[in-house]
């Protein structure tokens, strides 16, 4: 599998790529954690937006204020906070419209036939349709306003380009937003297909950069080619060849256009996915990129372009999942970009680039407090932004050491305090609002009680699944034990059944995100293998999954099943840590992040002998005691 790697310099030798299977990205801290990123492009831009939003990066355009009439439609809003623009022509047209360079004629719309679900359609934005022409004009005007407001508020831009095949409106000559007869018969008679050239796309991209730089000098612009292939071609070529030709045209044009502009940066999403091949890079439809690879792309992007002291902060912001901060007239978009360019010019005169020691990364505005050496973060927005961010609370530590002994089971203290570390990380970075914990195999509730104690007073739902068939075990006795020990029974749901009851588990989860899971059910190989596949389909993208009895010589079915799915490498869950006989896993895009956070947690909790010894070994560079390779994955050993 190919990896993206942030480095101080890019790799110039193919032999190194062939040996390491890594694509290098040069570290350039161009962003800060308060930036508002304006994303526009194909569905791949939407995927990036979703992943960035989950890391609490503010993304624009903000479409939440749009009022959509009952008999109208705006793309896939409000369910999906994105509007698709597939090519360089429609992206440029939209920016020109934002800047007032062209205005759409009030009568510039399509009248649809009886077979269409709506009567009127805006040609230049995807699926903007209405049954009343007044409504169509109104929502077009509202979109114009939302786009303009978001553009003005933006302090950075990401554009993805996906197609070279375009369709021109015969009457206006402008490129329309979508292929003909998409969701109705719009464009069948009004458009003509055009195979755009390298020269046309290069001209569009240069014009786009010029416009942004004219209005937001020095503002960071990031571009990439969407790796999503054409669904179909309207040329005479085979679809695979046509799709690849289009991507190559766009990639070459972006390379030519970005080479001489210091504030424009190409990010190799396209190359990264193509290097994985069709089987490993895409979901079963063969077109849309696997989510864990998107997560990896975003994680590398943040690592490369955020300052080192802020690249983890983005996962700590306390905001709604929509991530739409209100846009006001005081937003720093333009001032920030101009400030960055001025600072960069000063640095260029000095012949170097300093990390976080000038205002080049920051913006003098009411919501950004800047000093010459550090960025002070708003404490109302950031949780635990201190040296001891992952310090385990005293009451949780005490329970991990002694409290769990009130319950029967085989959870030793080393495994308990490591689990407490995981719970602290999740609490600090994600919180428990609308989240859930699931345990397959509750037994008598020892591990379950640890999670309940660490999440006390939160919204986290605690779900247990167990057939309660072992001698001396019953659902009633476990719940009574929980109640007698003061556990919050209103958060606890116990399903008496098997992990194969997937429908029942989904019903208990409801709309909550499964953030933490402990798999300790049947220890037969096929059952364990199935349980991991089940949780792979249920767990949230940022989830931590813990498998019990890994390397336990009396439970070889567990170890065999785990090696089976790790070596097969067909599911999204990948190992990142072994603690005693517990294996910790997460989505591939989060491997680097969680390894780093657990390492920080161990170093911040030296009162635990286990963690202190680990930190000392690491400090002495005894890496064979702290990290080793499991299949293709480097895992922490604790």
């Amino acid at each position: 599998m190919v990896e993206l790697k942030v480095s101080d310099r890019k790799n110039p030798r193919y032999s190194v790529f062939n040996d390491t299977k890594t694509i290098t990205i040069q570290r350039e801290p161009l962003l800060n954690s308060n930036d508002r990123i304006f994303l526009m492009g194909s569905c791949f831009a939407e995927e990036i937006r979703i992943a960035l939003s989950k890391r609490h990066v503010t993304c624009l355009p903000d479409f939440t204020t749009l009022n959509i009439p009952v008999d109208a439609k705006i793309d896939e809003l409000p369910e999906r906070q994105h509007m698709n623009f597939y090519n360089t022509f429609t992206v440029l047209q939209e920016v020109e419209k934002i800047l007032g360079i062209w205005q759409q004629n009030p009568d510039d719309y399509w009248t649809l036939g009886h077979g269409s679900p709506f009567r009127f359609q805006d040609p230049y934005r995807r699926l903007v349709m209405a049954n009343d022409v007044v409504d169509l004009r109104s929502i077009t005007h509202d979109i114009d306003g939302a786009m303009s407001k978001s553009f003005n508020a933006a302090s950075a831009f990401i554009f993805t380009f996906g197609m070279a095949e375009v369709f021109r409106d015969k009457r206006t000559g402008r490129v329309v937003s979508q292929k003909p007869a998409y969701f109705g018969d719009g464009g069948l008679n009004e458009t003509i297909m055009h195979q755009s050239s390298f020269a046309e796309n290069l001209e569009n991209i240069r014009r786009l950069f010029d416009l942004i730089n004219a209005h937001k000098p020095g503002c960071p612009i990031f571009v990439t080619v969407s790796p999503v292939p054409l669904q179909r071609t309207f040329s005479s070529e085979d679809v695979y060849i046509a799709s690849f030709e289009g991507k190559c045209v766009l990639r070459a044009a972006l390379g030519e256009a970005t080479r001489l502009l210091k504030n424009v940066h190409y990010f190799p999403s396209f190359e990264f996915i193509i290097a994985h091949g069709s089987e490993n890079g895409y979901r079963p439809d063969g077109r849309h990129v696997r989510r864990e690879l998107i997560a990896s792309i975003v994680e590398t992007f943040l690592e490369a372009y955020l300052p080192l002291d802020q690249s983890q902060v983005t996962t700590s912001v306390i905001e709604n999942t929509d991530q739409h901060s209100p846009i006001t007239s005081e937003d720093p978009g333009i001032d920030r970009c101009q400030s960055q360019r001025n600072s960069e010019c000063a640095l260029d005169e000095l012949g170097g680039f300093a990390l976080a020691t000038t205002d080049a990364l920051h913006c003098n505005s009411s919501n950004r407090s800047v000093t010459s050496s550090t960025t002070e973060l708003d404490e109302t927005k950031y949780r635990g932004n201190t040296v001891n961010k992952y310090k385990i609370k005293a009451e949780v530590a005490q329970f991990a050491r002694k409290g769990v002994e009130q319950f029967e089971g085989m959870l030793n203290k080393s495994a308990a305090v490591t689990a407490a570390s995981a719970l602290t990380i999740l609490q600090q970075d994600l919180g428990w609002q609308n989240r859930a914990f699931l345990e397959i195999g509750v037994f008598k509730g020892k591990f379950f009680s640890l999670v309940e104690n660490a999440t006390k007073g939160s919204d986290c739902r605690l779900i247990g699944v167990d057939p309660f068939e072992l001698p001396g075990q019953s659902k009633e006795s476990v719940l009574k034990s929980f109640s007698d020990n003061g556990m919050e029974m209103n958060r606890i749901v116990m399903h008496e059944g098997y992990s194969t009851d997937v429908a029942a588990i989904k019903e208990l989860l409801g709309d909550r995100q499964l953030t933490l899971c402990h798999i300790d059910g049947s220890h037969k190989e096929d059952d364990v293998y199935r349980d991991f596949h089940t949780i792979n389909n249920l767990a949230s993208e940022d989830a931590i999954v813990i498998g019990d009895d890994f390397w336990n010589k009396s439970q070889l079915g567990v170890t065999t099943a785990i090696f089976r799915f790790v070596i097969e490498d067909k599911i999204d869950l990948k190992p990142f840590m072994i603690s005693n006989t517990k294996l910790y896993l997460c989505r591939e895009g989060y491997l680097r992040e969680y390894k780093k956070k657990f390492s920080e947690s161990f170093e911040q909790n030296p009162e635990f002998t286990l963690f202190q010894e680990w930190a000392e070994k690491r400090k002495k560079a005894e890496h064979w005691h702290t990290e080793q390779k499991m299949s293709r994955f480097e895992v922490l050993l604790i």
Side-chain angles (χ1 to χ4, degrees):
M1 297 287 281
V2 177
E3 296 182 12
L4 288 172
K5 181 180 179 182
V6 178
S7 176
D8 292 330
R9 69 184 188 92
K10 297 176 182 178
N11 168 42
R13 297 183 181 276
Y14 197 88
S15 60
V16 175
F17 167 77
N18 191 50
D19 291 340
T20 63
K21 296 297 185 288
T22 56
I23 298 173
T24 51
I25 314 294
Q26 189 163 347
R27 191 188 309 280
E28 295 183 83
L30 302 168
L31 301 173
N32 69 64
S33 54
N34 286 327
D35 271 308
R36 290 177 171 175
I37 302 180
F38 186 102
L39 296 97
M40 183 175 287
S42 61
C43 56
F44 187 65
E46 180 187 15
E47 299 277 16
I48 295 174
R49 176 175 180 144
I50 291 169
L52 283 172
S53 294
K54 287 184 177 180
R55 285 157 177 75
H56 310 288
V57 176
T58 301
C59 295
L60 302 170
D62 181 0
F63 296 116
T64 57
T65 60
L66 293 179
N67 180 30
I68 307 174
V70 176
D71 287 342
K73 179 178 178 63
I74 302 178
D75 209 324
E76 301 296 338
L77 298 171
E79 289 80 11
R80 293 164 59 181
Q81 286 296 308
H82 178 73
M83 294 184 71
N84 279 331
F85 296 87
Y86 294 103
N87 52 69
T88 65
F89 295 83
T90 51
V91 169
L92 175 60
Q93 285 174 181
E94 191 64 30
V95 171
E96 287 179 334
K97 195 175 189 187
I98 288 169
L99 298 176
I101 295 171
W102 77 281
Q103 293 183 347
Q104 190 171 349
N105 190 301
D107 295 325
D108 190 1
Y109 57 83
W110 294 339
T111 301
L112 307 180
H114 296 295
S116 299
F118 296 94
R119 293 182 59 198
F120 306 102
Q121 180 175 358
D122 181 343
Y124 310 116
R125 289 175 176 147
R126 181 177 182 265
L127 298 181
V128 175
M129 314 171 90
N131 280 326
D132 188 304
V133 73
V134 174
D135 284 342
L136 183 69
R137 289 169 178 159
S138 175
I139 59 179
T140 297
H141 178 268
D142 288 348
I143 297 170
D144 290 346
M147 286 288 193
S148 179
K149 202 170 187 179
S150 295
F151 183 93
N152 290 333
S155 54
F157 293 84
I158 296 177
F159 296 104
T160 73
F161 303 104
M163 295 183 182
E165 289 184 19
V166 301
F167 289 84
R168 289 192 183 277
D169 187 293
K170 295 176 183 176
R171 183 164 55 92
T172 65
R174 293 195 175 276
V175 171
V176 303
S177 63
Q178 185 54 273
K179 63 188 178 185
Y182 186 80
F183 205 77
D185 61 4
L188 275 176
N189 299 315
E190 294 89 349
T191 65
I192 185 170
M193 187 265 192
H194 173 65
Q195 182 68 55
S196 63
S197 67
F198 167 81
E200 289 174 308
N201 284 284
L202 177 59
E203 183 180 354
N204 290 342
I205 294 165
R206 282 176 168 165
R207 169 73 170 159
L208 175 68
F209 295 162
D210 288 345
L211 289 174
I212 294 174
N213 281 328
H215 288 79
K216 291 176 173 287
C219 201
I221 303 171
F222 303 93
V223 293
T224 190
V225 174
S226 167
V228 179
L230 291 176
Q231 186 178 39
R232 64 152 298 177
T233 180
F234 289 84
S235 72
S236 59
E237 271 293 0
D238 174 87
V239 65
Y240 185 86
I241 295 172
S243 180
F244 207 80
E245 178 189 354
K247 304 295 183 185
C248 291
V249 165
L250 294 170
R251 178 63 188 93
L254 284 174
E256 181 73 13
T258 59
R259 229 178 297 282
L260 299 178
L261 294 174
K262 288 188 176 181
N263 68 312
V264 182
H265 309 271
Y266 179 82
F267 195 83
S269 306
F270 171 69
E271 290 83 350
F272 176 58
I273 301 304
I274 292 299
H276 279 81
S278 57
E279 289 188 6
N280 296 320
Y282 296 90
R283 291 176 231 169
D285 66 1
R287 294 186 63 243
H288 292 94
V289 177
R290 287 168 55 185
R291 292 197 183 278
E292 67 269 22
L293 296 183
I294 296 170
S296 181
I297 288 169
V298 171
E299 198 64 36
T300 308
F301 178 88
L302 293 176
E303 184 183 352
Y305 297 121
L306 273 178
L308 292 173
D309 60 341
Q310 295 184 28
S311 59
Q312 286 77 51
V313 171
T314 54
T315 59
S316 307
V317 184
I318 309 172
E319 294 178 2
N320 294 329
T321 54
D322 288 343
Q323 297 306 316
H324 292 296
S325 303
I327 300 171
T328 70
S329 59
E330 298 177 354
D331 281 305
I334 295 177
D335 291 343
R336 185 260 188 190
C337 300
Q338 183 64 60
S339 173
Q340 176 171 326
R341 167 168 278 191
N342 292 342
S343 300
E344 285 177 349
C345 290
L347 287 169
D348 286 342
E349 291 174 6
L350 296 172
F353 192 87
L355 286 179
T357 56
T358 72
D359 290 344
L361 302 176
H362 310 298
C363 174
N364 295 320
S365 68
S366 59
N367 66 333
R368 301 188 188 187
S369 179
V370 180
T371 69
S372 62
S373 59
T374 62
T375 303
E376 297 175 5
L377 302 175
D378 184 353
E379 292 183 0
T380 65
K381 290 182 69 181
Y382 293 86
R383 181 192 285 117
N385 183 34
T386 66
V387 173
N388 290 321
K389 179 180 180 182
Y390 301 127
K391 187 76 174 176
I392 299 172
K393 292 181 180 178
E395 58 270 28
V396 176
Q398 178 67 13
F399 193 88
R401 282 171 166 148
K402 296 183 179 180
V404 291
E405 298 305 324
Q406 302 169 81
F407 301 88
E408 290 186 51
M410 291 173 285
L411 178 66
N412 64 43
K413 290 182 180 179
S414 294
V417 297
T418 307
S421 174
L423 288 158
T424 301
I425 290 168
L426 292 174
Q427 165 68 31
Q428 287 295 92
D429 287 346
L430 302 178
W432 295 109
Q433 186 67 32
N434 204 40
R435 302 272 181 168
F437 160 70
L438 171 65
E439 182 168 40
I440 296 176
V442 178
F443 187 48
K444 296 190 178 181
K446 198 165 190 173
F447 191 91
F448 200 96
S449 70
L450 175 65
V451 177
E452 189 277 341
N453 177 270
T455 60
K456 272 191 184 301
S458 76
D459 181 55
C460 182
R461 181 176 295 170
L462 309 172
I463 303 169
V465 176
D466 199 303
F468 297 100
E469 295 175 335
L470 297 175
Q473 183 197 33
S474 71
K475 176 180 175 181
E476 292 72 22
S477 63
V478 169
L479 290 175
K480 184 178 185 304
S481 174
F482 288 170
S483 179
D484 290 347
N485 283 282
M487 292 172 64
E488 296 174 345
M489 303 304 292
N490 61 312
R491 295 194 293 122
I492 297 172
V493 183
M494 204 63 62
H495 174 68
E496 189 168 1
Y498 297 96
S499 57
T500 52
D501 302 336
V502 178
I505 295 172
K506 285 183 176 179
E507 187 174 345
L508 294 176
L509 282 170
D511 62 353
R512 291 173 179 266
Q513 295 188 68
L514 178 55
T515 305
L516 180 65
C517 183
H518 186 232
I519 301 177
D520 190 16
S522 166
H523 286 29
K524 294 179 180 179
E525 178 184 341
D526 288 343
D527 292 344
V528 176
Y529 184 80
R530 183 186 60 245
D531 282 347
F532 273 98
H533 276 267
T534 297
I535 296 306
N536 178 67
N537 295 329
L538 295 176
S540 64
E541 286 195 28
D542 48 17
I544 292 175
V545 177
I546 307 171
D548 190 43
D549 281 321
F550 180 64
W551 279 133
N552 185 337
K553 64 183 179 181
S554 64
Q555 303 292 350
L556 292 181
V558 176
T559 303
T560 305
I562 287 175
F563 270 114
R564 183 173 150 197
F565 79 73
V566 168
I567 292 170
E568 284 179 357
D569 205 13
K570 289 183 178 178
I571 69 171
D572 297 347
L573 294 174
K574 314 297 182 186
F576 70 87
M577 184 171 71
I578 299 173
S579 165
N580 200 268
T581 58
K582 293 188 185 293
L583 181 70
Y584 283 66
L585 309 96
C586 66
R587 307 289 186 191
E588 186 159 4
Y590 285 81
L591 288 173
R592 186 185 311 162
E593 177 179 331
Y594 278 132
K595 282 175 60 180
K596 186 165 188 175
K597 289 177 179 180
F598 274 89
S599 299
E600 291 174 3
S601 176
F602 300 156
E603 292 170 352
Q604 292 170 21
N605 291 279
E607 66 274 20
F608 296 103
T609 304
L610 176 73
F611 296 164
Q612 182 186 34
E613 290 178 350
W614 185 93
E616 288 175 353
K617 289 173 184 175
R618 193 181 197 193
K619 190 174 182 180
K620 294 176 182 177
E622 296 178 2
H623 299 302
W624 57 92
H625 288 307
T626 61
E627 188 171 353
Q628 287 195 29
K629 201 157 190 176
M630 177 181 176
S631 185
R632 68 180 180 88
F633 305 101
E634 295 286 346
V635 298
L636 298 178
L637 305 176
I638 184 69

